[in-house]
Amino acid sequence: MQIEKELEARGQSHLLRWQGELNDAQRGRLNRQIEEIDWDILESIQTPESLQWGDIRPITGLSLAQTEENRAEYFSAGKSALQAGKLVAVLLAGGQGTRLGSSAPKGVYDIGVTRPLYIFEQLIENLKTVCKSCETTVPLLIMTSEKNDGETRAFFEEHGYFGYPKAYVRFFVQAMAPCVDLHGKILLEAKDRLAVSPNGNGGWYQSLKRAGLHRDPLLAHAEWFNVFAVDNVLQHIADPVFLGATILSGRKSGAKVVRKTRPEEKVGVLCLEDGLPSVIEYYEISERLANLRGEDGNLVYSYGVILNYLFHAETLEKIASAKIPVHAAKKKIPYLNDRGETVLPETENGYKFETLILDLIKLMGSCLPCEVEREKEFAPIKNKTGVDSVDSARELLKKNGVKL
Ligand code: UTP
């Protein structure tokens, strides 16, 4: 009764239209899904057209040369923090990897040539290198989604965590968001199931807390979270130099950035917006800002983010209840039509909702951009071939001495 009223008030009564055909278990499952809907997400939606930007300015950061000059000092500060258990690494692996075209979790993708080499494996190797050089073990949290959690855990088990101590690894599942049609009606995937998708990577901290991990003894000394994407196989995780530099800067977050070389390059850029750190996505930046050059001839907005961030834990906790924008993306979403048939649409028929981690940076209040060498640290795998693909990542891995 309660559910019926709620849905009626929100114009979503159609979700119960197949109730008469469901058995108790199915009805229970649908009701649970409906009860878990985060209605807020449907009410704080932003589309690129509705975005209002504040006053945009360049942000100061550490250049490669500055990092080099202070490397020993940063390394030492970072290493001490790592050894004291102050850093927790968070691997974001809840995405659907639609561009790669595999329904399996992205991390289980084999990028090897003469031997199997899985994306997860390469990331663990990168982390093991740091642990060895700093003589410590870094806690690793892996965020999955309902769609890939079982498979991801089983994969790590099957491969013995690629030699990483299992006691230092935890998994947690991110929340899902309902998908709607072009008129805002929530779609059904089956008579007893809503169409849902992972709610984006911006909710990682809430999901971590929902799983109770903030109370886990493994996080007892956590002061910093290093959050990174699954798809960059050259990812430097728990980088002591990055950590040390960020701690010593006094800023509340840090972002690894690569220098944008071309105005049209598809990376978000870090800047200041009304005095706060902010990331403008490549599809949101105006042509004027993207092309703006300084007296030295270089692009003014050239700090391209590579989804490797540091977050100060205490600050994160303070902003945990703040609302972060929800982004709507038009997608082709399979759904159940009025006749109860499953439709696989050929054109975009609805919206998926996501919160983005880059929106957290602004809430953190300050951020240190740390420039890194693209060729050494940025090999994203988004597509099967071409730009940011398995092929391009293989080339870069080879250049960095990884045997494929
Ligand atoms: P992307 O934005 O590249 O999305 O994610 P994706 O889902 O992996 O790939 P496409 O767009 O469908 O092809 C960047 C990082 O954020 C994680 C991804 O796993 C990746 O590490 N992510 C994304 C999540 O953990 N949850 C999400 O809901 C979305």
Side-chain angles (χ1 to χ4, degrees):
M1 207 55 204
Q2 187 64 29
I3 285 189
E4 275 169 39
K5 275 201 185 132
E6 167 106 53
L7 290 180
E8 202 182 321
R10 296 183 182 277
Q12 304 283 357
S13 301
H14 61 285
L15 297 178
L16 300 177
R17 69 180 297 167
W18 306 102
Q19 284 275 304
E21 294 183 25
L22 305 182
N23 62 32
D24 285 350
Q26 291 171 318
R27 204 172 300 130
R29 182 160 76 187
L30 180 64
N31 286 352
R32 263 195 310 282
Q33 252 195 322
I34 294 173
E35 276 160 11
E36 279 174 11
I37 293 176
D38 178 0
W39 294 106
D40 277 357
I41 221 170
L42 302 178
E43 274 147 28
S44 31
I45 300 164
Q46 277 192 357
T47 55
E49 302 79 49
S50 69
L51 277 181
Q52 297 271 342
W53 291 98
D55 177 38
I56 303 293
R57 301 279 162 108
I59 186 170
T60 54
L62 279 182
S63 66
L64 286 174
Q66 285 168 318
T67 302
E68 229 18 76
E69 208 173 295
N70 301 298
R71 178 169 288 275
E73 188 192 0
Y74 295 159
F75 180 83
S76 156
K79 181 176 171 179
S80 307
L82 288 180
Q83 289 185 335
K86 291 185 183 174
L87 182 103
V88 173
V90 182
L91 164 55
L92 300 176
Q96 290 184 293
T98 40
R99 284 170 283 176
L100 193 56
S102 157
S103 57
K106 213 183 224 184
V108 314
Y109 204 89
D110 181 2
I111 52 166
V113 179
T114 61
R115 59 168 182 134
L117 177 64
Y118 306 101
I119 292 180
F120 280 140
E121 181 178 8
Q122 183 57 42
L123 293 175
I124 295 290
E125 285 307 319
N126 299 349
L127 180 56
K128 284 196 319 202
T129 305
V130 169
C131 292
K132 201 166 164 206
S133 77
C134 291
E135 300 152 64
T136 186
T137 306
V138 175
L140 171 65
L141 313 184
I142 302 175
M143 184 169 87
T144 62
S145 81
E146 272 170 27
K147 297 212 191 251
N148 67 18
D149 183 63
E151 222 178 315
T152 305
R153 286 176 198 244
F155 189 77
F156 271 90
E157 282 293 328
E158 191 187 324
H159 292 276
Y161 289 73
F162 299 104
Y164 206 72
K166 186 178 165 180
Y168 283 79
V169 182
R170 301 283 186 274
F171 295 88
F172 65 101
V173 182
Q174 73 173 92
M176 305 293 276
C179 306
V180 302
D181 69 11
L182 297 175
H183 309 288
K185 300 276 181 208
I186 296 177
L187 291 165
L188 283 170
E189 184 181 88
K191 291 180 180 173
D192 62 344
R193 237 182 7 257
L194 308 182
V196 290
S197 64
N199 69 345
N201 54 28
W204 67 272
Y205 187 62
Q206 263 90 0
S207 298
L208 179 158
K209 285 182 74 178
R210 205 175 58 153
L213 282 180
H214 56 309
R215 290 189 296 267
D216 191 300
L218 195 59
L219 273 65
H221 306 290
E223 289 183 13
W224 291 89
F225 290 100
N226 178 210
V227 187
F228 60 97
V230 68
D231 48 33
N232 174 10
V233 282
L234 283 182
Q235 195 80 264
H236 284 205
I237 306 158
D239 179 348
V241 175
F242 179 36
L243 177 61
T246 307
I247 293 174
L248 294 174
S249 75
R251 299 194 196 180
K252 302 299 181 197
S253 67
K256 287 209 173 205
V257 294
V258 293
R259 280 272 175 202
K260 245 179 100 168
T261 44
R262 296 170 292 115
E264 62 279 8
E265 202 184 332
K266 289 185 172 176
V267 285
V269 291
L270 197 60
C271 59
L272 284 177
E273 182 186 359
D274 296 331
L276 293 171
S278 182
V279 177
I280 313 182
E281 271 291 20
Y282 67 87
Y283 48 84
E284 293 166 348
I285 194 164
S286 70
E287 223 177 295
R288 190 186 72 79
L289 286 189
N291 285 281
L292 200 63
R293 290 187 186 268
E295 281 172 5
D296 56 2
N298 292 327
L299 293 172
V300 171
Y301 295 98
S302 62
Y303 281 151
V305 288
I306 60 170
L307 221 171
N308 186 325
Y309 297 110
L310 282 169
F311 290 95
H312 181 241
E314 223 174 270
T315 311
L316 202 54
E317 185 54 38
K318 277 192 204 142
I319 62 156
S321 56
K323 267 206 171 157
I324 84 167
V326 178
H327 298 256
K330 242 187 199 176
K331 301 262 175 171
K332 294 178 209 163
I333 306 162
Y335 69 102
L336 201 73
N337 68 13
D338 291 348
R339 291 187 296 280
E341 304 150 346
T342 299
V343 181
L344 301 172
E346 281 172 12
T347 53
E348 286 137 353
N349 63 316
Y351 293 100
K352 288 186 176 181
F353 300 112
E354 290 198 325
T355 56
L356 303 180
I357 192 163
L358 48 87
D359 286 318
L360 282 182
I361 295 294
K362 193 170 187 181
L363 293 170
M364 295 298 288
S366 59
C367 181
L368 179 73
C370 256
E371 188 185 343
V372 298
E373 277 180 78
R374 175 189 294 261
E375 298 269 296
K376 290 190 179 159
E377 297 204 24
F378 193 39
I381 298 177
K382 299 284 184 194
N383 310 299
K384 240 187 181 135
T385 52
V387 180
D388 296 344
S389 66
V390 180
D391 296 341
S392 60
R394 279 189 183 137
E395 281 311 304
L396 285 161
L397 280 171
K398 273 193 245 162
K399 276 192 191 158
N400 280 278
V402 177
K403 213 179 140 277
L404 294 171

